[in-house]
Amino acid sequence: RVDEYDVIILDCDGVIFNSNSLKIDAFRRVLSQYSTRIVEDFINYFKNNFGTSRYSLVKVFIEYFLKEEFDEIKYNDILKRYGQECVGLYKDAEFTDHLIEFLDKYKYKNQYLYVASGGDDSELKSVFIQRNIAQYFKGIYGSPVKKTEIVRSICNQNSNKRVLMIGDAKSDMLASKDNGIDFIFMKDFSTSQEMKEDAGLITIDNLGDLL
């Protein structure tokens, strides 16, 4: 019963926007100059670690997939080009099924709605204003702050309140567990096969299941 919670935290990609596949394609374009095998290995890692900050992901790509020492110029170049791709894709990304109905229902039941995302903080705030959904949320937060820390901050802002997180990735589940709050896995747009096969999770197809 979602209406029993005072605070609902939503992940962004795969929960608010149907944007996971778009972000995968964006990384492929940005990394197209590198070996296809290396890029596809990284993409598989990315799929299983959605919600992780791009600042961490690009560092992992350089050090563990390219097997190079950290190169700040290369790091910043990849981040810049990926950020440009993300700004463009959010303009056209579809909302997930029943998103607006969900936001309307819980916003006007006087529950606090927040966003905790691995996406870039300033990008998210801009996109939510452009897509006319910023008004639904008491707070919109993203990287480079880690998701666990974002969730902890939201919980601290709402001490003694019941908090729920809805996400589609392992990072969402771990952030919930780390902060002792309940978690619902939304599977329709998730890229995590591991999560989809976890019978121990409370699972919904999309936000329409909570209306």
Side-chain angles (χ1 to χ4, degrees), residues 12-23:
C12 180
D13 298 304
V15 175
I16 293 173
F17 289 101
N18 179 12
S19 49
N20 286 343
S21 62
L22 299 177
K23 285 200 162 183

Side-chain angles (χ1 to χ4, degrees), residues 3-37:
D3 54 4
E4 293 180 354
Y5 292 89
D6 305 299
V7 176
I8 304 171
I9 305 172
L10 301 179
D11 176 44
C12 180
D13 298 304
V15 175
I16 293 173
F17 289 101
N18 179 12
S19 49
N20 286 343
S21 62
L22 299 177
K23 285 200 162 183
I24 289 168
D25 291 341
F27 251 132
R28 279 200 180 101
R29 288 191 294 272
V30 169
L31 303 176
S32 61
Q33 70 200 76
Y34 301 103
S35 158
T36 300
R37 178 186 58 79

Side-chain angles (χ1 to χ4, degrees), residues 8-210:
I8 304 171
I9 305 172
L10 301 179
D11 176 44
C12 180
D13 298 304
V15 175
I16 293 173
F17 289 101
N18 179 12
S19 49
N20 286 343
S21 62
L22 299 177
K23 285 200 162 183
I24 289 168
D25 291 341
F27 251 132
R28 279 200 180 101
R29 288 191 294 272
V30 169
L31 303 176
S32 61
Q33 70 200 76
Y34 301 103
S35 158
T36 300
R37 178 186 58 79
I38 291 174
V39 171
E40 288 308 309
D41 285 347
F42 171 75
I43 291 297
N44 287 331
Y45 174 85
F46 180 36
K47 287 179 180 179
N48 289 313
N49 291 275
F50 242 101
T52 302
S53 162
R54 72 184 61 168
Y55 299 91
S56 297
L57 288 167
V58 174
K59 190 171 188 292
V60 166
F61 175 71
I62 293 170
E63 294 182 341
Y64 292 93
F65 288 89
L66 293 181
K67 300 187 186 305
E68 298 177 358
E69 289 193 11
F70 181 75
D71 182 328
E72 189 168 359
I73 294 175
K74 181 177 293 184
Y75 173 78
N76 288 329
D77 176 63
I78 294 173
L79 279 177
K80 179 180 178 181
R81 290 187 290 121
Y82 181 67
Q84 290 168 340
E85 290 274 352
C86 289
V87 169
L89 70 84
Y90 277 127
K91 292 178 181 177
D92 300 316
E94 296 178 349
F95 293 138
T96 60
D97 298 339
H98 305 288
L99 170 73
I100 300 302
E101 297 160 75
F102 177 89
L103 295 179
D104 279 335
K105 176 176 180 177
Y106 291 104
K107 168 71 172 180
Y108 296 109
K109 287 174 70 69
N110 295 318
Q111 286 165 297
Y112 290 157
L113 302 178
Y114 289 85
V115 175
S117 173
D120 182 80
D121 187 86
S122 59
E123 277 178 23
L124 288 172
K125 289 177 169 62
S126 176
V127 165
F128 275 58
I129 291 170
Q130 291 173 8
R131 297 298 300 270
N132 199 33
I133 56 172
Q135 72 273 13
Y136 288 104
F137 297 97
K138 187 171 178 63
I140 299 166
Y141 304 108
S143 62
V145 179
K146 292 182 178 179
K147 189 168 291 185
T148 289
E149 295 172 10
I150 293 173
V151 173
R152 181 172 299 120
S153 175
I154 293 170
C155 290
N156 288 340
Q157 293 172 43
N158 295 276
S159 58
N160 301 318
K161 293 182 179 178
R162 293 197 64 191
V163 183
L164 169 71
M165 182 161 193
I166 302 171
D168 72 319
K170 190 174 182 179
S171 62
D172 304 315
M173 179 184 70
L174 293 176
S176 302
K177 185 177 180 179
D178 286 347
N179 288 284
I181 64 172
D182 291 339
F183 174 71
I184 293 177
F185 171 58
M186 183 169 138
K187 71 177 185 179
D188 269 2
F189 308 97
S190 176
T191 63
S192 174
Q193 194 60 39
E194 177 188 355
M195 298 279 286
K196 291 179 181 180
E197 294 172 355
D198 188 340
L201 293 174
I202 297 173
T203 301
I204 59 173
D205 291 328
N206 58 62
L207 295 172
D209 291 343
L210 301 177

